[in-house]
């Protein structure tokens, strides 16, 4: 039997050229020799079921792994290495539940991955995948992260992932989601951030999504059926050329977006379009089956059906738990749409009044541009110079005012409005400006201010 030399000398000679390649880039934060650190990781995996080979600059799976029993491995972390393929050895670990291959150079996924029938979490993000093969859809995955690759499509068979709860395919080149995405009935989180999507599938409305991120795409329209996403808590949609809902609605958040979608749904509903809404006197003259079954084929609704239709439409906008009996019976969708148009016109009128008088261009988000009170104070000073003696304004050193200074500006504006004759019932409250909770009320106050000053100027002349 050969006599072993001193330990440092033995470890200075690596057993093979292949292993030399594997270990050439290994770092070590301890005094252990390089190959001993790798052997320790394999030994720990055999004992614990957790294989941690992260951040070792491996180009292939260690050949010495065959010396250890890894069949019971349930979690494997091979992230931050230099793998160009998923090691075939990984596909033999049939007990594997979690596989982390983040930040490698992997270009393809082998069909043999289908043997991992215990795999519930697969992280293949930040690699060089151009295709996500159908075999992945045959796994019992609950979490799939394929972000930061070069994918231009998802497999049509993705609907087979019936247990999938989280899907992250952000930062790819995907142009459209497959129609079977709507079959992912367990999906809670969907991230398609920074892709090339132009259209959102309507089938997503039927999913129990809690988080949905489609920011940085090319989406112009949110389907009205998305108002059914009652479990949605987080919606990210910035950096899209959205036209419906318009940007000014989207910037206000999820509640305003869903309210808009609900109104659009009622507007486009064929039943509502064909709805015949008589006035109260005419309504009394209709009997319970008037217009139904008439020989000329007219589809006018009966009085009972009219009432039901109106109630159904109205409840879309009443978010509190009111009973149908408490809803005003004279309320109609037509009036609601007229009210919406009036509010939008008032907001645009507010913008135009300020911009034309102060010769400025306000940001698209009008509410946020008024919330510090600076613009409103300048407006009253333009109408009546030096009405507000002191205005707190941002500076390069302090680009954002404190809430205390914002409140003082707003209170000065409101006090000046009172002095200039604006009736108390036309004035808004400070929080309507400071918290952007009542832009309509702000518009009414500003319009009343302009009306009062216009009337005063007329009397003087």
């Amino acid at each position: 039997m050969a006599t072993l030399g001193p330990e440092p000398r033995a470890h200075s000679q690596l057993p093979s050229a292949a292993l030399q390649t594997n270990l050439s880039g290994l770092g070590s934060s301890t005094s252990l020799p390089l190959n001993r650190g790798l052997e320790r990781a394999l030994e720990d995996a055999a004992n614990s079921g957790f294989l941690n080979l992260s951040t070792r600059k491996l180009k292939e799976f260690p050949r010495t792994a065959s010396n250890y029993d890894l069949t019971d491995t349930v979690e494997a972390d091979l992230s931050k290495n230099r793998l160009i393929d998923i090691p075939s050895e990984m596909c033999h670990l049939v007990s594997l539940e979690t596989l982390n291959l983040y930040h490698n150079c992997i270009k393809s996924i082998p069909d043999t991955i289908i043997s991992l029938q215990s795999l519930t979490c697969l992280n293949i993000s930040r690699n060089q995948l151009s295709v996500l093969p159908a075999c992945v859809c045959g796994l019992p995955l609950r979490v799939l992260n394929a972000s930061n690759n070069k994918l231009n499509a998802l497999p049509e068979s993705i609907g087979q992932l019936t247990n999938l709860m989280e899907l992250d395919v952000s930062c790819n080149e995907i142009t459209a989601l497959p129609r079977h995405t709507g079959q992912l009935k367990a999906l809670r989180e969907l991230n398609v951030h920074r892709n090339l999507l132009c259209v959102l599938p309507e089938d997503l409305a039927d999913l129990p999504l809690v988080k949905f991120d489609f920011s940085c795409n090319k989406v112009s329209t949110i389907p009205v059926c998305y108002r059914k996403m009652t479990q949605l808590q987080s919606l990210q949609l910035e950096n899209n050329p959205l036209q419906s809902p318009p940007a000014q609605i989207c910037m206000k958040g999820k509640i305003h977006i869903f309210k808009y979608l609900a109104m659009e749904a009622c507007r486009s509903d064929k039943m509502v379009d064909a709805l015949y809404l008589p006035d109260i006197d005419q309504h009394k003259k209709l009997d319970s089956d008037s217009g139904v079954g008439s020989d000329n084929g007219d589809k006018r609704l009966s009085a009972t059906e009219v009432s039901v239709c109106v109630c159904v439409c109205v409840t879309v906008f009443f978010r509190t738990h009111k009973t149908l009996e408490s809803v005003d019976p004279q309320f109609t969708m037509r009036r609601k749409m007229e009210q919406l148009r009036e509010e939008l016109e008032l907001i645009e009128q507010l913008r135009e009044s300020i911009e034309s008088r102060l010769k400025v261009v306000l940001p698209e988000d009008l509410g946020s541009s008024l919330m510090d009170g600076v613009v409103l104070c300048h407006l009253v000073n333009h109408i009546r110079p030096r009405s507000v003696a002191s205005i707190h304004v941002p500076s390069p050193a302090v680009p954002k005012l404190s809430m205390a200074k914002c409140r003082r500006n707003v209170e000065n504006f409101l006090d000046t409005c009172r002095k200039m004759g604006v009736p108390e019932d036309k004035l808004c409250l400070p929080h309507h400006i400071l918290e952007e909770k009542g832009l309509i009320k702000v518009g009414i106050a500003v319009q009343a201010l302009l009306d009062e000053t216009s009337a005063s100027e007329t009397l003087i002349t």
Side-chain angles (χ1 to χ4, degrees):
M1 179 179 295
T3 302
L4 293 176
E7 186 174 351
R9 182 178 180 85
H11 283 285
S12 66
Q13 296 178 0
L14 297 176
S16 68
L19 190 55
Q20 172 70 50
T21 302
N22 277 344
L23 303 177
S24 60
L26 287 177
S28 175
S29 58
T30 68
S31 59
L32 288 176
L34 300 182
N35 61 341
R36 181 55 187 154
L38 182 61
E39 297 303 310
R40 174 64 63 83
L42 294 170
E43 183 180 343
D44 289 345
N47 295 326
S48 66
F50 173 49
L51 175 62
N52 186 357
L53 297 179
S54 176
T55 320
R56 293 179 180 271
K57 300 183 180 179
L58 299 177
K59 293 184 178 180
E60 61 181 17
F61 199 67
R63 296 187 180 183
T64 55
S66 60
N67 298 331
Y68 301 89
D69 184 6
L70 302 178
T71 55
D72 292 332
T73 303
V74 294
E75 185 174 346
D77 186 352
L78 279 72
S79 62
K80 298 181 181 179
N81 282 296
R82 299 176 180 177
L83 302 172
I84 59 174
D85 296 300
I86 296 180
S88 59
E89 292 87 349
M90 301 308 300
C91 299
H92 297 152
L93 304 180
V94 294
S95 298
L96 204 60
E97 297 176 3
T98 299
L99 176 56
N100 186 358
L101 297 165
Y102 163 78
H103 209 317
N104 277 279
C105 306
I106 298 171
K107 297 182 178 180
S108 63
I109 298 177
D111 291 342
T112 50
I113 199 172
I114 195 67
S115 62
L116 301 180
Q117 284 302 306
S118 296
L119 193 66
T120 58
C121 180
L122 174 61
N123 188 344
I124 193 72
S125 62
R126 200 170 290 278
N127 278 280
Q128 298 179 20
L129 294 174
S130 57
V131 174
L132 193 65
C135 59
V136 172
C137 302
L139 299 172
L141 294 177
R142 298 171 69 88
V143 177
L144 173 58
N145 188 342
S147 63
N148 289 280
N149 278 282
K150 300 178 181 179
L151 303 176
N152 54 34
L154 296 178
E156 286 293 333
S157 55
I158 196 168
Q160 296 176 13
L161 292 170
T162 54
N163 297 319
L164 194 65
M165 299 182 68
E166 299 179 22
L167 175 60
D168 187 346
V169 289
S170 59
C171 301
N172 279 285
E173 301 168 9
I174 300 172
T175 57
L177 293 176
R179 54 192 179 92
H180 295 304
T181 307
Q183 297 178 6
L184 302 174
K185 298 303 182 182
L187 197 63
R188 297 294 188 274
E189 300 183 16
L190 176 59
N191 189 345
V192 291
H193 163 79
R194 201 173 292 283
N195 276 279
L196 303 174
L197 298 176
C198 295
V199 177
L200 298 175
E202 293 190 355
D203 289 350
L204 296 186
D206 299 324
L207 301 182
L209 290 179
V210 176
K211 295 183 179 180
F212 184 24
D213 185 345
F214 66 90
S215 57
C216 301
N217 278 276
K218 299 181 178 181
V219 176
S220 61
T221 302
I222 300 178
V224 293
C225 59
Y226 278 27
R227 71 192 188 282
K228 300 176 185 177
M229 292 182 171
T230 55
Q231 300 184 44
L232 195 63
Q233 297 177 10
S234 174
L235 178 62
Q236 303 294 323
L237 44 67
E238 60 272 12
N239 294 313
N240 278 285
L242 283 166
Q243 299 177 10
S244 178
Q248 61 188 22
I249 298 292
C250 294
M251 292 187 339
K252 292 182 177 296
K254 178 170 65 73
I255 293 177
H256 292 272
I257 293 170
F258 278 37
K259 184 186 294 186
Y260 176 91
L261 295 178
M263 297 179 72
E264 284 297 299
C266 286
R267 192 204 308 236
S268 61
D269 193 313
K270 293 180 180 179
M271 180 178 67
V272 174
D273 287 346
L275 192 62
Y276 173 66
L277 296 173
D279 60 28
I280 299 301
D281 292 333
Q282 291 173 324
H283 194 122
K284 294 177 181 177
K285 297 177 183 179
L286 294 174
D287 60 28
S288 61
D289 62 351
S290 61
V292 178
S294 57
D295 294 337
N296 62 5
D298 285 345
K299 296 298 182 182
R300 291 181 300 164
L301 301 176
S302 69
T304 301
E305 291 172 307
V306 167
S307 299
V308 172
C309 291
V310 171
C311 287
V312 169
C313 293
V314 169
T315 54
V316 173
F317 303 97
F318 285 79
R319 304 186 65 84
T320 57
H321 299 290
K322 295 182 179 180
T323 62
L324 290 179
E325 289 78 9
S326 67
V327 178
D328 183 358
Q330 299 183 41
F331 186 91
T332 66
M333 282 308 305
R334 188 173 294 114
R335 176 58 192 142
K336 188 64 180 180
M337 298 309 300
E338 290 174 358
Q339 181 181 348
L340 176 63
R341 283 194 292 270
E342 290 171 0
E343 291 178 353
L344 293 176
E345 288 173 1
L346 183 58
I347 292 173
E348 287 307 309
Q349 184 177 349
L350 172 63
R351 177 190 296 277
E352 183 179 347
S353 298
I354 296 175
E355 290 183 341
S356 61
R357 287 175 177 266
L358 298 183
K359 307 301 183 200
V360 297
V361 177
L362 297 175
E364 189 171 9
D365 187 358
L366 183 59
S368 65
S369 65
L370 302 180
M371 65 183 298
D372 61 4
V374 174
V375 172
L376 295 173
C377 286
H378 282 305
L379 177 64
V380 292
N381 276 353
H382 175 82
I383 296 172
R384 184 175 295 175
R386 295 181 295 280
S387 297
V388 179
S390 175
I391 304 175
H392 296 284
V393 297
S395 66
V398 185
K400 187 174 182 180
L401 295 180
S402 66
M403 181 54 68
K405 291 183 177 180
C406 292
R407 179 170 288 277
R408 282 197 287 271
N409 281 343
V410 169
E411 290 174 348
N412 286 338
F413 163 72
L414 294 175
D415 288 341
T416 305
C417 287
R418 291 186 182 93
K419 294 175 183 177
M420 295 173 70
V422 177
E424 197 67 34
D425 62 341
K426 294 290 182 67
L427 281 178
C428 60
L429 297 175
H431 78 271
H432 290 144
I433 303 173
L434 294 167
E435 301 175 18
E436 302 181 68
K437 290 187 175 180
L439 198 56
I440 300 300
K441 295 182 182 297
V442 178
I444 293 173
V446 169
Q447 188 58 47
L449 173 67
L450 298 177
D451 291 343
E452 284 296 325
T453 54
S454 177
S456 299
E457 291 170 358
T458 301
L459 290 175
I460 292 173
T461 57

